[in-house]
């Protein structure tokens, strides 16, 4: 069954009492400069500092007791890894996270504080996904992707759904694009709320893999990008989000 807004609504119920319903913020100065009303969903105030907890928790909630007992694994630039560590601790699930060896120390400390095991890889030369699949096979772990998972996408879509419930008359939604899960979830929420609602994905110029892929109609890879927005530095859009986007 293809993903729809109903999956987003189910995720919202799963996350009730777990994820913070983060506030919508606006700025009179910005509104005046742009000549329109702009609202920002403050997901930096989420439990892990980003929206990623929503997808990670929703995915873990759907696992069988046997899968939870064996444990989970993910690859991440940092935010999804922390989210999985927090969610796994809530479910008492062993977690392994594969992250860049140059992961900021603040993210590393936060991940370790929640009991996850860190496995580093070289950001520019390491075969990250191959390492994840190898470890998953060796230890019987369930892979929880940062974007390429329907439960993760549905969880991410709850960000936009909350926005649409809290501010009437929104005409356009903008979502940052890394692997594409947030944009895909936003599109699902928007289409279920109002098919005329516009959704734009926004990604760094240096990491425009999704933009290029959409232009040619298929997923393409770019060289590992460098951007200060390290969470958006993807080389290729994830398959499931790309199909939605």
């Amino acid at each position: 069954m293809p993903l729809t807004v109903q999956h987003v609504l189910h995720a919202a119920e799963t996350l009730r009492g777990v994820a913070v319903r983060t506030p919508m913020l606006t700025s009179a100065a910005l509104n005046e400069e742009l000549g329109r009303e702009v609202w920002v969903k403050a997901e930096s105030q989420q439990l892990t500092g980003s929206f990623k907890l929503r997808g990670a928790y929703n995915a873990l909630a759907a696992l069988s007791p046997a899968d939870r007992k064996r444990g989970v694994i993910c690859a991440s630039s940092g935010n999804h890894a922390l989210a999985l560590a927090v969610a796994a601790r809530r479910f008492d699930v062993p977690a392994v996270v594969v992250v860049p060896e140059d992961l900021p120390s603040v993210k590393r400390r936060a991940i370790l504080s929640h009991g996850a095991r860190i496995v580093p890889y070289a950001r520019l030369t390491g075969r990250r996904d191959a390492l994840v699949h190898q470890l998953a096979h060796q230890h019987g772990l369930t892979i929880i992707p940062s974007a390429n998972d329907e439960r993760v996408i549905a969880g991410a879509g709850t960000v936009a759904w909350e926005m649409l419930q809290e501010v009437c008359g929104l005409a356009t939604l903008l979502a940052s694009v890394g692997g594409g899960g947030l944009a895909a979830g936003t599109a699902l929420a928007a289409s279920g709320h109002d098919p005329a609602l516009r959704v734009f994905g926004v990604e760094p110029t240096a990491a425009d893999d999704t933009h290029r892929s959409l232009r040619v109609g298929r997923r393409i890879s770019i060289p590992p990008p460098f951007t200060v927005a390290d969470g958006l530095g993807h080389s290729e859009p994830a398959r499931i989000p790309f199909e939605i986007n």
Side-chain angles (χ1 to χ4, degrees):
M1 178 186 298
L3 278 176
T4 69
V5 68
Q6 293 303 319
H7 294 90
V8 176
L9 296 177
H10 183 270
E13 286 301 313
T14 299
L15 293 165
R16 189 182 301 275
V18 176
V20 174
R21 194 177 179 101
T22 53
M24 292 284 282
L25 307 178
T26 191
S27 162
L30 181 61
N31 293 344
E32 182 177 355
E33 181 170 337
L34 297 180
R36 64 195 65 198
E37 194 173 64
V38 178
W39 291 87
V40 177
K41 182 72 162 162
E43 279 295 287
S44 57
Q45 296 184 25
Q46 192 51 257
L47 293 176
T48 59
S50 82
F51 73 94
K52 291 289 190 178
L53 177 69
R54 297 170 181 266
Y57 188 93
N58 193 50
L60 282 183
L63 292 182
S64 68
D67 286 338
R68 291 181 189 172
K69 184 176 181 179
R70 284 190 293 268
V72 295
I73 187 171
C74 77
S76 167
S77 60
N79 288 338
H80 179 62
L82 176 57
L84 188 67
V86 171
R89 189 169 194 176
R90 292 211 172 197
F91 284 104
D92 194 24
V93 172
V96 178
V97 299
V98 177
V99 296
E101 58 189 7
D102 60 350
L103 182 73
S105 59
V106 63
K107 291 184 179 180
R108 179 181 297 274
R109 289 195 300 269
I111 292 169
L112 291 174
S113 73
H114 289 283
R117 173 191 168 200
I118 289 180
V119 177
Y121 75 95
R123 186 187 293 270
L124 298 181
T125 60
R127 299 179 65 237
R128 183 189 76 170
D129 292 341
L131 177 58
V132 169
H133 281 86
Q134 176 188 340
L135 292 170
H137 178 73
Q138 287 178 348
H139 303 288
L141 306 174
T142 297
I143 300 173
I144 307 294
S146 62
N148 198 42
D149 183 285
E150 294 182 347
R151 300 156 301 181
V152 170
I153 293 170
T158 62
V159 177
W161 187 255
E162 289 177 9
M163 296 173 71
L164 295 168
Q165 303 309 303
E166 293 173 26
V167 180
C168 295
L170 291 176
T172 304
L173 299 181
L174 283 74
S176 57
V177 178
L182 178 63
T186 299
L188 292 172
S191 63
H193 180 80
D194 179 0
L197 200 61
R198 297 185 302 171
V199 176
F200 287 89
V202 183
E203 61 186 346
T205 302
D208 62 343
D209 53 301
T210 293
H211 175 70
R212 295 190 195 187
S213 297
L214 288 172
R215 288 183 64 181
V216 300
R218 58 180 174 83
R219 292 188 301 143
I220 62 171
S221 297
I222 63 173
F226 174 78
T227 168
V228 294
D230 61 325
L232 304 181
H234 286 242
S235 298
E236 182 182 23
R239 180 184 61 82
I240 298 174
F242 182 71
E243 292 173 358
I244 296 170
N245 292 332

